[in-house]
Amino acid sequence: RTLNRDIDAVRNAIEMEWSNGQAEGQINRLKTLKRAMYGRAGPNLLRARMLPLHHTN
């Protein structure tokens, strides 16, 4: 029943070549970090969590 409500979105997800899944995943990751660390982490810890391991200034 739920799939039938969103049948256009389901059809597009199957038939289209492109997807915004990567962007949505990054946004979800950032929001999760923000929620988990809100009020408990300073900018340095947030920066360390967001940047790749091999990143140097």
Side-chain angles (χ1 to χ4, degrees):
R1 198 170 39 179
T2 303
L3 288 177
N4 284 333
R5 265 193 313 210
D6 295 330
I7 194 66
D8 290 333
V10 173
R11 187 176 291 120
N12 287 338
I14 294 170
E15 294 175 356
M16 296 287 190
E17 293 179 20
W18 55 273
S19 170
N20 66 345
Q22 181 66 26
E24 292 293 334
Q26 293 298 326
I27 291 168
N28 184 47
R29 176 176 161 262
L30 293 174
K31 285 184 177 182
T32 300
L33 283 171
K34 181 180 172 186
R35 285 187 198 110
M37 302 175 86
Y38 181 77
R40 293 181 287 173
N44 290 336
L45 181 56
L46 287 171
R47 191 175 300 113
R49 293 284 309 263
M50 303 281 183
L51 296 175
L53 290 175
H54 62 276
H55 180 79
T56 57
N57 287 337

